[in-house]
Amino acid sequence: MTALVRPRFLVPLALAVGLALGSLLPAAFGDTKAPSAIRNALAQTGKVQGAPGRTLILSRVVVPPGARLASHRHLGTQVARVQSGALRYTVLRGGVAVHRGESDEQPRTVRRIGSGQTGTLHGGEWIVEQPSDIHRAANLSRRPVVIYLATLLKTGAPAATPVTLSPAG
């Protein structure tokens, strides 16, 4: 009876050991994929009064620990509010004012991040990005960063457009 019971336990044990080793081996050989941000379009409309040919999009972005957002810009105005976490934000061209507080209750400007500067956006802070603002970001913390975005884009335009700057800037 004992001989029949052992094989039942050996197969699941072997599978578990194999899965564990399979998840460790890529990291041992430096073959790990960098985490990336996850964007979900929560709502949108193409019927924006006063803005024909534009689409208004409400999105949520989750930036996992270690994720980096490459240099990019938005082809329309975007309001970004950090719900939770801390996002390292670098402006390559342009500039943003960082606000704290509800927009209908006299929010205050807590700092500005100008061209060539880096700052951290914390939960409860928000910025307005214009099409001329080129920026990148990263989550250097151990917790995910959650951001809500309201973006007004030309209909059919991508949510973000990658930008490569020359070494001169």
Side-chain angles (χ1 to χ4, degrees), residues 32-38 62-70 86-88 137-145:
T32 59
K33 184 178 174 186
S36 59
I38 300 165
V62 177
V63 184
R68 295 182 180 275
L69 287 71
L87 184 72
R88 195 79 170 147
N139 180 355
L140 305 178
S141 73
R142 294 181 180 178
R143 294 181 36 216
V145 175

Side-chain angles (χ1 to χ4, degrees), residues 36-39 59 61 63 67-80 87-96 115 117 121 127-139 147 149 151 153 157-166 169:
S36 59
I38 300 165
R39 178 183 175 275
S59 304
V61 175
V63 184
R68 295 182 180 275
L69 287 71
S71 301
H72 67 280
R73 69 187 189 111
H74 308 282
L75 299 177
T77 300
Q78 176 169 278
V79 177
L87 184 72
R88 195 79 170 147
Y89 184 89
T90 300
V91 175
L92 301 170
R93 283 205 185 129
V96 298
S115 186
Q117 296 179 328
L121 304 176
I127 59 174
V128 178
E129 298 168 319
Q130 299 297 341
S132 57
D133 296 327
I134 299 174
H135 52 279
R136 66 177 176 236
N139 180 355
I147 309 163
L149 309 169
T151 312
L153 294 168
T161 301
V163 175
T164 302
L165 296 176
S166 64

Side-chain angles (χ1 to χ4, degrees), residues 98-130:
V98 180
H99 306 280
R100 176 169 281 287
E102 306 302 318
S103 66
D104 59 351
E105 296 178 4
Q106 300 180 345
R108 60 188 178 94
T109 301
V110 293
R111 67 188 163 289
R112 295 187 185 282
I113 305 172
S115 186
Q117 296 179 328
T118 298
T120 302
L121 304 176
H122 301 277
E125 294 180 338
W126 54 276
I127 59 174
V128 178
E129 298 168 319
Q130 299 297 341

Side-chain angles (χ1 to χ4, degrees), residues 18-36:
L19 288 172
L21 286 175
S23 66
L24 293 175
L25 285 178
F29 293 106
D31 188 20
T32 59
K33 184 178 174 186
S36 59

